[in-house]
């Protein structure tokens, strides 16, 4: 503090004895003819909230530096406060003795000036609620635990304010008394007196600053989902609704200021036939138009505040409830799904033709990408399967692919799981715009060359290939899979595909992606929900700063919000009723709330053939119950994770059995071995910690697999590798997480490979020792699929597992083109050695991959592929030869299934499982199988024959299953 010599002395009278220690309301001023000695002035900085000035210390204190204007302006770009209900705003800020205000601007003019927030239309004082946030708010928004609660006055019109730019600010009153008085004194006594006169005295004669705003020291935008759910939850019609006389539009957009619908005759170009203004009632905008709109196109034009730009934006976008699209997906088609013109012959009766399904335990799933299921023609012709191809006899008469699918169906595969088939980004719907490579040139290149991947990557965003996990609109079939993406053809052809597959014998499962959106913001061409339906961030989950969560990959959706959940349920209802599909697989299901998944199951199961044309009770739903990101450990509410779903009957993928069989995890060391890839029995160069450690790892892996073979039931009792009787939930993974989580067998999807990560044959080729033969790798491939097939629970297979499918060891082929993803149903090639896989996801493993691709002994021949297919079909036939492999309850599995060769004296690697049936008329177990009374499954991962003696099996008379009767296998009970 500098020493100051004021020309006027400031002599306060003796401080008040008032317990508040308030600054006296009168000062004495005295002039000096000569300046006195330099005076050291202490500072007094206090915060005031509807109180007089405190005078508590004469000690020197540092001046408080207020937050800069630029920093406060930047804070407006964030949304750190939550308007959680009509009367409560949550904010993680302690305003102390200061004040809190809510500001709004209908034209989005809020900014920070020298005096605080400016540009507002409305300013509302908020009072802190010392009782904290209500319990129901914490339950809905767990991340708000510990936030302060601020009461919104009952007189506030929240429905109007949510259409505006909003900000909340914390203000404090700061006064450095001596410095203030000093600068006043520098001017003149009159000025001092003028300043003092401007200060209002309280009834005790003290200066009261409660009427001043104070200094703005914190400001932020607001997240609105809570208040929107409370005020605008809606269960009425949405989208385009068709009647005999008219077409009506309904759009839920409570934050929008203006909504218009532009009607077009054509799918692109041209001026609108009409521009219709929609009228709002409680957040829903509606308009009525003539029946002639059917067959036309429309797009919404919406004026709405968007927090990403801090402006009112005029956006154009599709209807989120679109059921048809233009070829470029820029306009929504007015399409009536109930029109007879869009129904294949016999469509209304398809519910009566569905393949029989007595129990969900009878399900087995084959995962197929439509793009992979290509006709046997050169890639340059781009003649890839479309929705319609599967029903055109002229094209299918000699199709190896269809013949292969029929063989799978006849062996027992019940459900065909199709990777995303509805509108996604990444592939142009107009095939003439696609680019392609010349496969004849690529075929001349070495098997370990970098050139193939370079050619594929150069066009990967302009070709016809993508898995489809880039969702844009889930209610419209993907245009690139239709023979004509314009008009209603995609609807008709999709229905023909479902009908044809049902008639082959498959039930159809759709892979749905509700955990994220491909686009966001007001200008992204693939943004729909975040563009117009509700901003800021209703459909997309935001973090505590108001930024979009991206743990799924990009733009996480928030099913914990009412209208997000409703959109998911409405989409599922549309797909089930209008496309008569038989099941749904949920991508990253753990990022969806459990409540949503249970509602989805109940809604689908309520459908009936009489009312809806389908038997909803036969619709099976399952998904990825991974627990990670912001939703982990119920961070955003109770999510649909593996452990949370137990008891719901909803299936989830069992990664425990996958990792135990293959070794490590998809994110661990690439050479770490597992039960079927040579751990301990055929070691590679990876350091597993020594032979003793490797043998223990093999024993633990066997425990994990046995729990999985018992449907991963949490209460199933078995003897572990230590000789202890434990429940499945008491067997732990490497990080201490329980292995088992299911309460019934149909809650477990057992699998060893899927579209993600390397194929089964590729991972076996990577993890096994370089020197073993291709026949041994083929045996490992068969062993893995056999374990899955003969396990309780629902078996799941990636298309091509049975054909030794290879993607040249590509760990993520979502955008690797046809070249790396090809399936050859003629069995001539498994696609091994077609070049190093794309650099982006695989380069770090190139040193391991390159020598394997270069070695011709790694490549299977046609005879190997044919043998693998036959072995796979044979084991499937065995599964479906007895209901004992498909037990329906946890009690039945516990009572009938046993594992032998357990405990510390086990024969390394051998799994021996028995399943016992009852006998008719004999007390005890009921009889389920009139043919087989006792089944024993022996699994040997060792490269050589093994002798195993079991006293428990000694009295049994066993023989090979008839399907295996021609296979030379020696089995002796004893």
């Amino acid at each position: 503090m500098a020493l100051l010599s004021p020309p006027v002395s400031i002599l306060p009278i003796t401080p008040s004895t008032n317990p508040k220690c308030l600054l006296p309301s009168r000062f004495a001023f005295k002039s000096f003819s000569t300046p006195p000695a330099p005076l050291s002035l202490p500072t007094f900085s206090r915060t005031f909230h509807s109180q007089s000035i405190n005078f508590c210390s004469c000690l020197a204190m540092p001046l408080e530096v207020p937050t800069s204007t630029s920093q406060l302006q930047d804070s407006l770009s964030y949304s750190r406060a939550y308007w959680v209900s009509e009367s409560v705003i949550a904010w993680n800020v302690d305003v102390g003795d200061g004040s809190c205000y809510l500001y709004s601007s209908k034209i989005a003019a809020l900014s920070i000036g020298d005096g605080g927030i400016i540009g507002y239309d409305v300013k509302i004082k908020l009072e802190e609620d010392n009782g904290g946030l209500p319990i129901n708010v914490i339950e809905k928004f767990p991340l708000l635990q510990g936030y302060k609660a601020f009461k919104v006055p009952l007189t506030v019109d929240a429905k109007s304010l949510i259409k505006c730019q909003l900000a909340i600010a914390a203000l404090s009153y700061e006064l450095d008394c001596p410095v203030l008085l000093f600068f006043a004194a520098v001017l003149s006594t009159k000025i001092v007196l003028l300043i003092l006169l401007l200060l209002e005295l309280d009834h005790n004669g003290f200066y009261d600053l409660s009427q001043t705003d104070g200094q703005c020291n914190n400001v932020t935008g607001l997240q609105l989902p809570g208040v929107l759910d409370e005020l605008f939850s809606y269960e009425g019609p949405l989208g385009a609704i068709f009647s005999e006389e008219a077409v009506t539009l309904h759009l839920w957009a409570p934050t929008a200021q203006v909504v218009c619908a532009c009607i077009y005759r054509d799918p692109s170009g041209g001026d609108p036939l009409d521009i219709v203004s929609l009228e709002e009632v409680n957040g829903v905008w509606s308009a009525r138009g003539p029946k002639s709109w059917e067959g036309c196109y429309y797009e919404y034009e919406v004026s709405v505040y968007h927090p990403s730009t801090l402006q009112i934006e005029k956006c154009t976008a599709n209807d989120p409830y679109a059921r048809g699209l233009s070829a470029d997906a820029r306009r929504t088609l007015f399409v009536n799904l109930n029109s007879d013109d869009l129904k294949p012959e016999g469509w209304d009766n398809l519910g009566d033709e569905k393949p029989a399904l007595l129990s969900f335990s009878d399900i087995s799933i084959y995962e197929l990408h439509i793009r992979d299921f290509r006709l046997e023609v050169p890639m340059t012709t781009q003649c890839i399967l479309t929705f319609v191809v599967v029903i055109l006899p002229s094209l299918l008469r000699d199709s190896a692919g269809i013949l292969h699918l029929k063989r799978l169906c006849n062996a027992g595969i019940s459900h065909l799981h199709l990777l995303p088939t509805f509108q996604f980004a990444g592939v142009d719907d107009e095939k003439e715009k696609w680019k392609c490579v010349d496969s004849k040139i690529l075929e001349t290149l070495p098997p370990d060359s970098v050139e193939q991947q370079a050619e594929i990557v150069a066009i990967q965003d302009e070709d016809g290939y993508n898995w489809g996990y880039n969702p844009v609109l889930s209610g419209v079939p993907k245009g690139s899979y239709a023979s004509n993406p314009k008009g209603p053809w995609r609807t008709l052809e999709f229905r023909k595909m479902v009908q044809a597959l049902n008639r082959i014998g498959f039930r159809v499962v759709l892979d749905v992606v509700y955990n994220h959106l491909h686009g966001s913001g007001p200008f992204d061409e693939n943004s729909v929900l975040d563009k117009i339906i509700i901003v800021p961030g209703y459909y997309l989950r935001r973090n505590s700063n108001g930024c979009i969560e991206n743990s799924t990959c990009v733009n996480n959706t928030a099913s914990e919000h009412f209208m997000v959940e409703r959109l998911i349920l409405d989409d599922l209802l549309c797909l089930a009723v209008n496309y008569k599909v038989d099941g749904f697989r949920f991508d990253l299901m753990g990022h969806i709330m459990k409540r949503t998944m249970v509602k989805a199951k109940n809604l689908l199961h309520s459908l009936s053939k009489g009312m809806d044309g389908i038997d909803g009770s036969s619709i099976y739903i399952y998904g990825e119950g991974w627990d990670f990101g912001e939703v982990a450990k119920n961070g955003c509410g109770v999510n649909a994770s593996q452990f949370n779903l137990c008891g719901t009957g909803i299936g989830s993928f069992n990664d425990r059995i996958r990792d135990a069989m293959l070794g490590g995890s998809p994110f661990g060391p690439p050479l770490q071995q597992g039960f079927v890839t040579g751990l301990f029995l055929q070691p590679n160069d990876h350091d597993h910690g020594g032979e003793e450690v490797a043998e223990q790892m093999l024993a633990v892996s066997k425990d994990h697999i046995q729990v999985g073979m018992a449907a991963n039931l949490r209460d199933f009792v078995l003897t572990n590798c230590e000789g202890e009787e434990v429940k499945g939930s008491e067997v732990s993974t490497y990080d201490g997480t329980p292995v088992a989580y299911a309460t019934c067998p149909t809650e477990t999807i057992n699998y060893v490979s899927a579209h993600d990560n390397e194929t089964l044959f590729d991972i076996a080729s990577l993890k096994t020792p370089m020197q073993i033969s291709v026949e041994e790798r083929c045996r490992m491939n068969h062993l893995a699929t056999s374990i899955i097939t003969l396990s309780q629970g629902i078996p799941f297979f990636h298309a091509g597992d049975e054909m030794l499918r290879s993607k040249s060891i590509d760990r993520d082929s979502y955008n690797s083109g046809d070249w790396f993803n090809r399936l050859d149903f003629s069995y001539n090639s498994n696609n091994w050695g077609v070049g190093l896989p794309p650099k982006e996801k695989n380069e770090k493993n190139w040193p391991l991959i390159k020598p394997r691709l270069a070695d011709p002994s790694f490549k299977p021949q046609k005879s190997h592929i044919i043998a693998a297919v036959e072995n796979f079909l044979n084991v499937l036939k065995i599964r479906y030869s007895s209901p004992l492999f498909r037990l329906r309850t946890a009690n039945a599995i516990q009572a009938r299934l046993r594992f032998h060769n357990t405990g510390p004296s086990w024969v390394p690697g051998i799994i021996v499982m028995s399943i016992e049936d009852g006998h008719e008329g004999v007390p005890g177990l009921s009889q389920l199988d009139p043919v087989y009374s006792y089944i024993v499954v022996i699994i040997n991962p060792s490269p050589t024959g093994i002798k195993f003696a079991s006293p428990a099996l000694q009295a049994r008379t066993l023989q090979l299953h008839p399907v295996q009767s021609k296979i030379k296998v020696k089995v002796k009970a004893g």
Side-chain angles (χ1 to χ4, degrees), residues 939-954:
I939 297 167
N940 176 22
S942 173
T944 60
I946 293 290
K947 291 183 178 180
F948 167 73
S950 172
L953 303 178
Q954 186 174 6

Side-chain angles (χ1 to χ4, degrees), residues 591-802:
H591 271 65
I592 300 172
M593 295 298 106
K594 174 183 176 180
R595 177 195 66 189
T596 305
M597 293 301 303
V598 171
K599 285 184 178 180
K601 178 192 171 187
N602 293 338
L603 174 66
L604 294 171
H605 285 193
S606 71
L607 302 175
S608 66
K609 283 194 286 186
M611 293 291 294
D612 309 291
I614 58 168
D615 176 11
S617 66
S618 66
I619 294 176
Y620 181 63
I621 62 175
Y622 60 100
E624 297 175 306
W626 319 138
D627 193 37
F628 70 96
E630 75 282 0
V631 301
K633 299 179 180 178
N634 301 323
C636 297
V638 180
N639 62 320
S641 65
Q642 291 167 324
F643 291 98
N644 286 339
L645 284 176
C646 65
T648 65
I650 297 170
S652 62
F653 285 93
N654 179 12
D655 54 331
R656 280 75 157 158
I657 196 170
R658 176 202 67 190
D659 292 347
M661 284 199 284
L662 300 181
S665 77
F667 313 104
L671 296 184
Q672 184 173 337
Q673 293 176 290
F675 187 85
V676 302
T677 57
L679 177 63
F680 178 66
L681 302 171
Q682 290 178 283
N684 59 18
D685 295 331
H686 181 71
D687 182 8
H688 290 91
E691 187 172 301
E692 185 176 339
V693 173
E695 183 175 11
Q696 177 63 19
M697 290 174 65
L698 182 64
V700 172
S701 296
K702 184 173 76 75
D703 283 350
H704 292 189
I705 292 169
Q706 289 177 160
V707 172
M709 294 184 75
N712 215 46
L713 296 172
R714 66 182 188 182
D715 292 330
F716 178 81
V717 178
L718 73 162
T719 302
N720 67 10
C721 60
E722 303 295 334
E724 303 167 335
E725 280 202 353
V726 294
K727 293 181 179 180
S729 59
E730 294 171 338
V731 179
S732 299
T733 63
Y734 68 93
D735 64 353
T737 303
V739 167
Y741 52 79
T743 57
C744 72
T746 55
E747 290 177 352
T748 294
I749 305 291
N750 280 322
Y751 79 115
V752 70
S753 75
H755 63 275
D756 280 321
N757 312 124
E758 297 88 349
T759 67
L760 176 55
F761 182 81
D762 281 348
I763 203 69
S765 299
L766 184 64
K767 290 177 178 287
T768 50
M770 289 282 293
Q771 66 272 15
I772 72 170
S773 67
V774 68
E775 286 80 11
E776 289 178 278
R777 294 190 183 93
C778 293
R779 182 183 62 82
M780 292 176 176
N781 192 103
H782 175 55
L783 184 65
T785 58
S786 297
I787 292 173
I788 296 300
T789 304
L790 299 176
S791 296
Q792 302 293 327
I794 294 178
F796 174 100
F797 307 99
H798 178 40
D801 278 352
E802 75 285 7

Side-chain angles (χ1 to χ4, degrees), residues 528-588:
V528 177
L529 300 178
D530 194 48
K531 183 182 290 185
I532 65 168
I533 294 303
I534 188 65
V535 284
Y538 182 83
Y539 274 82
L540 300 181
R541 187 177 291 132
R542 309 271 170 155
N543 63 20
S544 58
N545 285 322
C547 302
I548 297 171
E549 294 279 11
N550 294 306
S551 57
T552 61
C553 66
V554 64
N555 299 325
N556 297 3
T557 53
S559 69
E560 58 269 27
H561 304 158
F562 182 89
M563 294 302 288
V564 182
E565 179 179 85
R566 184 190 159 175
L567 177 64
I568 293 172
L569 298 178
D570 287 348
D571 260 0
L572 294 172
L573 188 64
C574 172
L575 298 176
V577 172
N578 293 302
Y579 293 97
K580 301 186 187 298
V581 297
D582 308 290
F584 297 96
R585 178 266 189 191
F586 286 77
D587 182 60
L588 296 183

